[in-house]
Amino acid sequence: MSTAPTVMPRRRVVVAALWAALGVVAVAGLGGLATELGPWYRALKQPWWQPPDWAFGPAWSVIYLLTAIAAVRVWLRAQSPRERTWWLAALAANGAINVFWSWLFFKARRPDWALAEVVLLWLSIGLLIVLARRDDVIAALLLVPYLLWVAFAASLNLAVVRLNAPFA
């Protein structure tokens, strides 16, 4: 018997994992570049319940890892090239929206605009969950922490806007 059938799926898994890793590193890196915890940010009044700054890195790392795993699972289980295309488009849109939130909040210094934009981010995660669910329930569940974290981040964003508005 030929070993080709087992080699090809392994190769597909590795290639999909490498692309997923590249995607999450790109989103994390661009988001990190947009995130400045300088004097402007330090001067903002924060809600008493905000986690310490050091907690955000590990939280996002776990979310990006779970997202990458979900991305690979859906990619490998998608029933058609069309489904894969929709999945990749939704992932790319989500990544762009994710980075844009950081840019709005930290670079543009507009938490009020970021608050409006976070709705799009949350909806894009919901779309990812719906799309993932069609091919892999576990992948959809892996995205739930992302949805919950962004809901929490949105509540932080709202608190910052309420404590510091207006922004110009």
Side-chain angles (χ1 to χ4, degrees):
M1 276 204 131
S2 171
T3 59
T6 58
V7 172
M8 185 61 178
R10 248 187 233 145
R11 184 172 186 271
R12 273 186 76 203
V13 170
V14 170
V15 169
L18 289 173
W19 278 110
L22 180 65
V24 296
V25 166
V27 170
L30 292 170
L33 288 173
T35 303
E36 292 180 6
L37 302 183
W40 173 83
Y41 176 78
R42 299 275 181 230
L44 290 173
K45 294 175 195 144
Q46 301 289 345
W48 64 267
W49 45 270
Q50 177 174 333
D53 292 340
W54 62 261
F56 288 86
W60 276 111
S61 296
V62 169
I63 286 163
Y64 287 137
L65 175 64
L66 294 175
T67 301
I69 293 168
V72 171
R73 290 181 65 95
V74 173
W75 176 261
L76 294 173
R77 288 169 176 78
Q79 300 300 312
S80 69
R82 186 170 192 246
E83 282 187 19
R84 283 189 196 91
T85 300
W86 277 105
W87 177 242
L88 289 178
L91 281 170
N94 173 264
I97 295 166
N98 184 313
V99 170
F100 191 52
W101 182 92
S102 296
W103 186 87
L104 284 172
F105 192 100
F106 294 102
K107 289 286 191 189
R109 298 180 177 177
R110 293 304 304 249
D112 51 344
W113 294 353
L115 182 60
E117 194 266 4
V118 80
V119 174
L120 293 176
L121 179 57
W122 196 83
L123 289 172
S124 75
I125 301 163
L127 176 62
L128 289 177
I129 291 170
V130 168
L131 292 175
R133 172 76 174 78
R134 294 188 309 193
D135 295 306
D136 189 328
V137 173
I138 292 172
L141 292 173
L142 290 172
L143 295 168
V144 170
Y146 186 13
L147 188 74
L148 295 174
W149 180 255
V150 168
F152 176 70
S155 66
L156 281 173
N157 193 161
L158 175 61
V160 167
V161 169
R162 286 182 174 165
L163 292 169
N164 297 280
F167 298 94

